Amino acid sequence: MKYLTIGSMFDSLRKRLKNSYNSDHLHTSKKARIDGFDEKYKMHQTMIAIQNNEQETISDVDSDEEMGRWNLLDGNVLSRVFHFLRDDLKSIFRAALTCKHWQSALKGYLDISREVDFCALGTKCSDSIILKIMSDYKKEEITSLISSGTGITASALEEIILSSPSLASVDIRGSQLEDLVCKFTNIYASDHGIETRLSKLNKQSLGSGSDATDDCDKSSDASMADITSTALHSESNSKSPLEGVISETRNEADFSPESGLDSFPCMREWGACMTKENVVPPVTRKYEVIDHYVIVADEEEVRRKMQVSLSEIHSEKLNVRRSGAVVSDMEIPEAEAFKPTKSLGYEVIEQEVYGIDPCTRSLFLDSMPKDSDLSLLDKHIFIEEVFLCTLNKHARIFTGTENPPMTCDLKCVFKKILKTALKNGDRTTLRLCRGVLTAMVDRPKEKYVAYRKGLGVICNKDGGFTKDEFIVELLGEVYPTWKWFEKQDGIRALQGNNNDPAPEFYNIYLERPKDDADGYDLVVVDAMHKANYASRICHSCRPNCEARVTAVDGQYQIGIYSVRPIAYGEEITFDYNSVTESNDEYENSVCLCGTSDCRGSYLNLTGEGAFEQVLKKRHGLLNRCSLLLEACKLNSVSKEDFTELGKAGLGCCLLGGLPAWLIAYSARLVRFIKFERMKLPAEILRYNIEEKKRYFTEIDLEAEKKDAEIQAEGVYNQRIQNLAITIHKVKYVMRCLFDDPKEAPPPLERLSPEAVVSHLWEGEGSFVDELLRSMAPRVSRKRLKNLKTMIHARGSFGPYLQETKFQNSLKWLRDVVRKLRSTYERRHDAAGDLIHLYAHTNCFLRLRKYEKVVSPPIHITSQDLSPKYAAKLGSGVHEYRKTYSESYCIGQLMFWYIQNPDPDVLLAEASRGCLSLPVVSSFYAKSKKPSQQLVYGRRAVKCMLSMMKRRPQMPWPEDRIWSFKSSLDIVGSPMLDAVLDKARVNKPMRRWLRRRSKVSRGRWGSRRISS
């Protein structure tokens, strides 16, 4: 009952706010987030006018009953009420004056406040106004007062201090009241305004912003000032009024005070932040050391994919590219002579490494001196070249210990830096280091800590490494992609939750350069069980090395090469460029590289709306079905197809041995991928600018355009990658079923007119036969017999089938069925509407089903599983066999751009309504009284028409009366016809459904239903 009461109060709040204020208030407050000054001035004037009793016409309608209801809310919940609506502060303030519920809420809120902040009132604010505001607070609860920058006098402040027995601290920074410091020991000049200054710093330095910042309002200058002017900016018993709204905004429960990691609520505005959820002890895995690649399965095929095939003019192209000229947009393979790796224990060492999150880095920047002669670049260099190196030298003492600490206090690290700077006479480092050490003392509640990353690799060579120097080859077990994804499916099956990510961050794709003579292809290198020290190298958003595919002794390998000089003691890093489609996984993968270019996460999010806009608009399910049907119908490859594939870098290595229809389909997909590459930058740019406007007042449009191009190129490469993986999976199934994959028949074929009549009208299992069997329990035997006789007489179409005659027969059957009396358990009217849809469907497709394939077992150990599952399943080896269903291939081909363990199930779900029409039995209830949601009425018809018109390629909702086959055999719909004809969905068909006459009405309880 407690939750119901709170929910009803929130509903009351929303309704009253909606009814009381027009949209002008919303526009005004939105302006305040960008401009700030005008709105702050207006709020200040409004507050003074009200405090001077110029609003005497408003009556006090507060009641004990209302206070009783609002006092049920604790501090945290009440904080959410105010701050969830903080973007419309003027409306909240006026609501407190015009609505008794809001007055009660405000009074209850003031009763639990712990801190009062008068910063935004300005120097013109009089003592009477401040004393009037203070009179509304419960003074015995106030523990902190901030009056810096106000015009309060010493006498007024002394009166407030004497009347507040629990007051522990008073901030008078910037005021002329220093004489009170001697009289009251709890008065100090603190460094308030940290959040505001840092917000300005982030605005000035767009390049150092994090992609994983929070959605809460970054215009703290305007919005937080408005809250203070209305006496709403206060700290309650719940530690901070914004804590609730942060978890609401990001759906993250880890910003709670008990986590002990976030010291104040606006930390996410400073950048991505480590939380209790993120701090998971990294497992120091043990692996078998190898000095060459170990192929797991399909050895001959994998060796062919790793074999180098250079073109005759390769050297010429490479020389031209190195000279700075552009040859093509494809990667050109680089042939390298064999080079020995840097020796472990001498030139490089493995040790425990620590890092800082973007939030801690921003905390460092805010703690450093604000002198004009210290540039932001100086501070970046200090953090990256001095602090991080000293941190990891200090962390060596934890290497080899049983339980290395998850966090490292940084005071001792900065003291080491200070000692070295004093010895060397480095004044810049001295000033920066002293600034941070002083802030550590002045701001004890904030967390100056580094977090453990696990074992990493450190340069141990005197003099370090030079630019473009070979460090090590990244070795591991090599999987063909289909086998690798079998393993991932097995891991998810053992974990019992497909949404839980597998720990797959020790693998990397070895991709053949697209300019190789045989074209692009890829395999997976997994360094989980068998590897070398390269697998210990950590990620960085601004790395000193890169992973590069090079040709060595006729075989492609992944080499780690330095991209700049690396100093002794510096950690060796490269950019993982790993991607995820899960926003939760992206948010939880906080990066600890500590560089100025840190993205906030060591993963790249590819599931963002902007990246999918072109795909959703121009490459829906029916579009893909049309492309596949066209390729299957032709079953041949044109010169244009080969040209398109060649331009994308796809050659015989990937396409060799495939049936013609699959190569033709791949060419059509490549055309779409190139079309998307052309259109995507504008979509990404629009999305990025809208996001940046929420946080920054100035945006560099040219820089944003370049970023959009880079992101679009990343999406293009991922599309090509997913297409190659899809081809691998489908080719493997075909190899298992056919001696030669080229003999695999096309998976789609269009039904002939005779086959359509057989499917809908004649024979056992037809649509009409299913209709009659569904009707049988619900109509009399005599009526059913008469209906069968009429259908049989109408169904003599003869050897020369006329499509118009067959369509008229379906319309006749529609009218006959609709005339039957409908009830909630026999919706003849719904069946008639379904017949109408079939009558206006011209193209029916048969989905060819291949035989099932059960793959050989793959072995999974506890080390492959997520930590929380490893203990449950034990230390043994588990076997998993992947079963490829009869519809797996067509499901994978239709969803080529994602890798789902059950694409056939995904296809059946996505086809509901748009590709596969409902089964007629869904309109005849099997129970005596079905649920009310399964009634076919005006809402269901309206929903159906809306989906046809506005979202013709999207599946129909599941919470309606209709149901669908779980396994697809024959599909077809008016929406598919529209895509094939490149036209809109049939207007006369939709008009008839909208204007048809009503039928006999059934009843639901005391309510009449109709359609």
Side-chain angles (χ1 to χ4, degrees):
M1 293 301 293
K2 179 179 180 182
Y3 297 105
L4 294 175
T5 303
I6 292 174
S8 64
M9 288 183 181
F10 283 134
D11 291 338
S12 174
L13 282 174
R14 294 190 183 100
K15 290 178 181 178
R16 290 180 181 274
L17 188 61
K18 182 177 180 181
N19 295 334
S20 300
Y21 308 104
N22 55 41
S23 60
D24 292 339
H25 300 133
L26 296 176
H27 295 311
T28 303
S29 64
K30 190 171 183 179
K31 180 182 177 183
R33 298 179 65 185
I34 300 174
D35 300 329
F37 177 80
D38 293 339
E39 183 64 18
K40 178 178 176 179
Y41 176 77
K42 292 176 182 178
M43 288 294 295
H44 173 67
Q45 295 299 322
T46 304
M47 183 275 301
I48 293 177
I50 293 170
Q51 295 299 335
N52 288 332
N53 297 320
E54 293 180 10
Q55 303 285 339
E56 294 177 354
T57 56
I58 301 173
S59 61
D60 184 7
V61 290
D62 211 2
S63 67
D64 292 339
E65 181 182 356
E66 291 298 330
M67 276 303 300
R69 292 176 63 191
W70 281 102
N71 284 338
L72 292 175
L73 301 180
D74 61 18
N76 190 34
V77 175
L78 197 54
S79 299
R80 287 170 180 255
V81 174
F82 280 93
H83 293 281
F84 185 70
L85 300 174
R86 69 190 183 284
D87 292 340
D88 191 16
L89 297 166
K90 181 179 284 187
S91 295
I92 295 176
F93 181 59
R94 292 181 178 176
L97 302 172
T98 58
C99 174
K100 61 181 181 180
H101 297 284
W102 281 94
Q103 289 179 355
S104 302
L106 177 58
K107 190 174 188 308
Y109 187 75
L110 297 178
D111 286 345
I112 63 172
S113 297
R114 294 292 188 91
E115 180 184 275
V116 183
D117 188 346
F118 291 114
C119 290
L121 298 184
T123 56
K124 294 183 180 180
C125 183
S126 64
D127 289 349
S128 60
I129 294 176
I130 293 179
L131 293 174
K132 172 62 177 170
I133 294 175
M134 280 300 301
S135 66
D136 294 329
Y137 284 87
K138 195 172 182 179
K139 294 183 178 59
E140 56 268 24
E141 296 291 334
I142 301 298
T143 61
S144 176
L145 178 67
I146 302 174
S147 63
S148 56
T150 64
I152 190 171
T153 63
S155 59
L157 183 57
E158 185 173 353
E159 181 181 343
I160 293 174
I161 295 173
L162 293 174
S163 63
S164 305
S166 301
L167 196 60
S169 64
V170 182
D171 180 3
I172 59 171
R173 182 183 58 84
S175 63
Q176 304 298 322
L177 304 175
E178 284 79 5
D179 55 329
L180 290 177
V181 176
C182 300
K183 189 172 183 180
F184 298 99
T185 57
N186 57 349
I187 296 181
Y188 65 100
S190 70
D191 191 16
H192 187 68
I194 297 167
E195 300 161 29
T196 301
R197 287 204 314 278
L198 195 58
S199 179
K200 292 180 180 178
L201 177 63
N202 286 338
K203 290 179 182 179
Q204 294 170 2
S205 179
L206 262 172
S208 63
S210 169
D211 291 339
T213 52
D214 192 59
D215 287 340
C216 59
D217 188 5
K218 292 210 172 193
S219 287
S220 59
D221 292 341
S223 62
M224 293 305 293
D226 292 341
I227 295 175
T228 58
S229 65
T230 58
L232 295 180
H233 183 201
S234 56
E235 185 178 10
S236 67
N237 286 324
S238 58
K239 295 285 179 83
S240 170
L242 285 179
E243 284 174 359
V245 80
I246 288 178
S247 62
E248 286 283 348
T249 309
R250 297 300 284 178
N251 293 324
E252 294 178 359
D254 44 30
F255 287 87
S256 57
E258 59 268 21
S259 67
L261 293 165
D262 298 331
S263 57
F264 52 88
C266 290
M267 290 280 271
R268 290 291 280 189
E269 295 190 12
W270 293 30
C273 178
M274 288 293 285
T275 66
K276 187 176 181 179
E277 300 292 330
N278 303 129
V279 182
V280 178
V283 178
T284 304
R285 84 189 194 292
K286 297 179 181 179
Y287 56 80
E288 178 185 338
V289 179
I290 56 176
D291 57 4
H292 62 278
Y293 290 109
V294 178
I295 299 175
V296 174
D298 220 352
E299 184 171 353
E300 182 179 348
E301 185 75 8
V302 169
R303 291 195 182 280
R304 186 175 67 85
K305 294 178 187 298
M306 296 178 68
Q307 185 178 353
V308 178
S309 180
L310 302 179
S311 64
E312 296 178 357
I313 58 172
H314 167 262
S315 299
E316 180 181 341
K317 285 184 177 181
L318 197 60
N319 290 333
V320 173
R321 190 191 71 173
R322 287 173 176 171
S323 67
V326 178
V327 179
S328 70
D329 59 350
M330 295 188 293
E331 304 95 339
I332 300 175
E334 294 192 22
E336 299 277 356
F338 173 78
K339 299 176 182 178
T341 63
K342 304 301 179 186
S343 57
L344 182 63
Y346 296 95
E347 295 174 290
V348 295
I349 58 171
E350 287 184 352
Q351 70 158 70
E352 291 287 340
V353 289
Y354 287 71
I356 56 173
D357 56 32
C359 180
T360 305
R361 181 189 179 87
S362 296
L363 183 60
F364 286 173
L365 292 173
D366 188 64
S367 302
M368 292 174 184
K370 307 300 186 293
D371 299 347
S372 58
D373 59 332
L374 286 175
S375 66
L376 190 60
L377 180 61
D378 292 331
K379 299 174 183 179
H380 289 325
I381 293 174
F382 170 77
I383 294 174
E384 295 176 30
E385 297 185 5
V386 179
F387 165 74
L388 290 177
C389 284
T390 308
L391 171 64
N392 283 318
K393 287 177 183 178
H394 172 72
R396 287 188 185 181
I397 60 176
F398 303 130
T399 305
T401 58
E402 186 175 353
N403 293 307
M406 275 306 301
T407 60
C408 174
D409 184 72
L410 299 180
K411 189 172 293 185
C412 55
V413 176
F414 280 100
K415 286 181 178 179
K416 285 186 177 181
I417 298 173
L418 185 66
K419 183 178 180 181
T420 304
L422 284 169
K423 182 179 179 180
N424 298 333
D426 187 344
R427 292 186 177 183
T428 300
T429 301
L430 276 172
R431 292 168 62 192
L432 293 172
C433 194
R434 282 172 175 167
V436 177
L437 286 171
T438 302
M440 287 182 180
V441 177
D442 294 342
R443 295 148 70 166
K445 292 183 179 180
E446 291 161 12
K447 302 295 181 182
Y448 290 84
V449 296
Y451 301 92
R452 181 185 172 216
K453 296 194 288 185
L455 282 178
V457 180
I458 302 293
C459 173
N460 196 48
K461 180 182 177 183
D462 291 336
F465 303 136
T466 61
K467 181 182 178 181
D468 205 32
E469 192 168 346
F470 175 71
I471 307 298
V472 64
E473 181 183 2
L474 205 160
L475 298 176
E477 295 178 292
V478 184
Y479 288 78
T481 57
W482 60 267
K483 193 69 174 179
W484 173 253
F485 280 95
E486 279 189 357
K487 183 174 183 178
Q488 301 311 300
D489 295 345
I491 290 172
R492 289 181 173 86
L494 287 173
Q495 291 182 168
N497 185 351
N498 289 339
N499 294 324
D500 263 350
E504 51 186 21
F505 296 114
Y506 293 103
N507 63 82
I508 188 171
Y509 285 129
L510 195 165
E511 299 179 274
R512 291 173 61 92
K514 293 176 183 176
D515 207 49
D516 182 278
D518 292 339
Y520 173 84
D521 213 331
L522 75 163
V523 293
V524 180
V525 178
D526 179 35
M528 174 69 78
H529 301 286
K530 299 179 181 181
N532 60 351
Y533 72 81
S535 63
R536 302 283 198 205
I537 299 177
C538 293
H539 163 86
S540 175
C541 301
R542 189 171 175 267
N544 50 30
C545 293
E546 67 176 356
R548 190 188 304 167
V549 176
T550 55
V552 179
D553 294 338
Q555 177 181 280
Y556 285 116
Q557 69 173 30
I558 302 174
I560 306 298
Y561 291 81
S562 60
V563 295
R564 59 175 175 81
I566 303 174
Y568 170 78
E570 186 178 351
E571 183 184 3
I572 295 173
T573 59
F574 72 96
D575 192 337
Y576 287 176
N577 282 315
S578 298
V579 298
T580 180
E581 295 176 357
S582 168
N583 189 67
D584 290 338
E585 189 175 15
Y586 170 79
E587 291 290 344
N588 290 328
S589 304
V590 177
C591 180
L592 298 175
C593 69
T595 64
S596 58
D597 296 333
C598 184
R599 300 188 295 265
S601 174
Y602 54 81
L603 298 177
N604 292 302
L605 183 62
T606 61
E608 282 191 296
F611 295 166
E612 305 298 320
Q613 285 302 311
V614 180
L615 186 77
K616 290 178 180 178
K617 293 176 182 177
R618 308 299 289 270
H619 198 64
L621 176 64
L622 302 184
N623 297 122
R624 302 193 294 273
C625 185
S626 174
L627 295 177
L628 183 56
L629 177 63
E630 182 183 349
C632 292
K633 183 179 179 181
L634 292 174
N635 202 9
S636 62
V637 189
S638 65
K639 291 183 179 179
E640 292 77 8
D641 292 340
F642 279 122
T643 301
E644 289 288 350
L645 292 168
K647 288 180 179 179
L650 306 186
C652 62
C653 188
L654 176 65
L655 304 175
L658 296 180
W661 58 266
L662 183 51
I663 298 176
Y665 179 56
S666 300
R668 283 153 177 78
L669 294 180
V670 166
R671 288 192 185 99
F672 164 75
I673 294 171
K674 289 189 174 182
F675 171 80
E676 182 188 39
R677 174 64 182 86
M678 181 178 62
K679 296 291 185 181
L680 199 55
E683 295 287 346
I684 296 175
L685 179 64
R686 187 181 303 112
Y687 175 86
N688 288 348
I689 288 178
E690 289 176 357
E691 286 294 303
K692 291 284 177 70
K693 279 182 178 178
R694 300 169 59 188
Y695 307 122
F696 305 106
T697 55
E698 295 181 3
I699 297 175
D700 187 343
L701 186 59
E702 290 302 318
E704 291 300 323
K705 287 181 179 179
K706 291 179 181 179
D707 287 345
E709 286 290 339
I710 294 172
Q711 293 176 35
E713 184 66 20
V715 173
Y716 171 84
N717 290 329
Q718 192 190 19
R719 298 281 191 245
I720 295 293
Q721 189 182 89
N722 275 309
L723 174 58
I725 294 170
T726 291
I727 291 173
H728 290 163
K729 290 180 175 181
V730 173
K731 185 178 181 181
Y732 169 71
V733 175
M734 292 176 176
R735 274 174 29 203
C736 295
L737 295 175
F738 307 98
D739 294 334
D740 185 356
K742 291 183 179 180
E743 299 175 359
L748 266 186
E749 62 174 338
R750 182 167 182 169
L751 295 186
S752 64
E754 292 78 16
V756 173
V757 172
S758 177
H759 170 63
L760 294 180
W761 195 276
E762 299 175 348
E764 187 177 354
S766 65
F767 172 79
V768 172
D769 179 59
E770 184 183 358
L771 171 66
L772 295 174
R773 283 190 282 107
S774 300
M775 282 184 174
R778 304 299 180 188
V779 299
S780 63
R781 291 183 180 181
K782 182 179 180 181
R783 179 167 292 180
L784 186 64
K785 184 177 180 180
N786 291 338
L787 184 58
K788 287 181 178 180
T789 303
M790 289 188 291
I791 290 173
H792 180 73
R794 188 90 184 186
S796 302
F797 299 105
Y800 301 101
L801 177 64
Q802 296 182 1
E803 293 186 21
T804 304
K805 182 180 178 182
F806 178 62
Q807 187 182 53
N808 290 337
S809 296
L810 287 174
K811 291 180 179 179
W812 165 83
L813 180 60
R814 171 199 68 191
D815 296 336
V816 170
V817 172
R818 280 183 57 82
K819 289 178 182 179
L820 300 176
R821 185 175 181 274
S822 298
T823 66
Y824 61 79
E825 59 182 2
R826 55 174 188 268
R827 294 311 305 239
H828 299 305
D829 54 340
D833 289 351
L834 179 60
I835 297 171
H836 177 75
L837 296 180
Y838 275 110
H840 287 84
T841 300
N842 299 322
C843 178
F844 288 90
L845 306 177
R846 185 186 304 278
L847 278 62
R848 188 186 302 275
K849 294 184 177 181
Y850 301 139
E851 295 180 11
K852 287 184 179 180
V853 172
V854 180
S855 189
I858 191 165
H859 299 96
I860 300 171
T861 68
S862 58
Q863 196 173 353
D864 295 308
L865 304 174
S866 296
K868 67 179 182 179
Y869 294 99
K872 294 180 182 179
L873 296 175
S875 58
V877 177
H878 305 272
E879 283 192 357
Y880 172 78
R881 290 176 177 266
K882 173 74 175 179
T883 299
Y884 297 89
S885 67
E886 298 171 337
S887 302
Y888 179 88
C889 285
I890 190 168
Q892 185 61 50
L893 290 170
M894 295 288 268
F895 290 92
W896 61 271
Y897 55 91
I898 56 176
Q899 305 307 321
N900 188 283
D902 300 302
D904 51 331
V905 177
L906 190 62
L907 176 60
E909 293 174 350
S911 301
R912 296 168 51 94
C914 62
L915 181 61
S916 174
L917 294 176
V919 293
V920 70
S921 59
S922 57
F923 305 123
Y924 295 90
K926 295 179 175 60
S927 60
K928 292 185 177 180
K929 192 172 183 179
S931 62
Q932 191 168 350
Q933 287 83 358
L934 302 183
V935 171
Y936 188 77
R938 287 188 295 271
R939 290 184 180 179
V941 176
K942 185 177 180 180
C943 174
M944 179 171 62
L945 289 170
S946 176
M947 294 298 296
M948 290 179 184
K949 182 180 179 180
R950 299 176 183 175
R951 307 175 71 189
Q953 302 203 44
M954 297 299 293
W956 291 6
E958 298 182 5
D959 59 344
R960 301 291 178 176
I961 187 173
W962 45 66
S963 59
F964 300 84
K965 291 183 178 179
S966 58
S967 179
L968 300 180
D969 183 17
I970 295 176
V971 297
S973 70
M975 287 69 76
L976 176 61
D977 290 346
V979 172
L980 295 176
D981 297 336
K982 298 180 180 180
R984 293 185 179 274
V985 180
N986 193 312
K987 284 187 177 180
M989 176 204 68
R990 290 189 283 118
R991 188 184 303 116
W992 183 90
L993 287 170
R994 192 167 51 249
R995 299 179 180 177
R996 56 175 170 62
S997 58
K998 295 182 179 180
V999 298
S1000 302
R1001 297 175 175 83
R1003 288 182 175 273
W1004 179 272
S1006 60
R1007 292 177 54 196
R1008 301 180 69 83
I1009 55 174
S1010 62
S1011 62

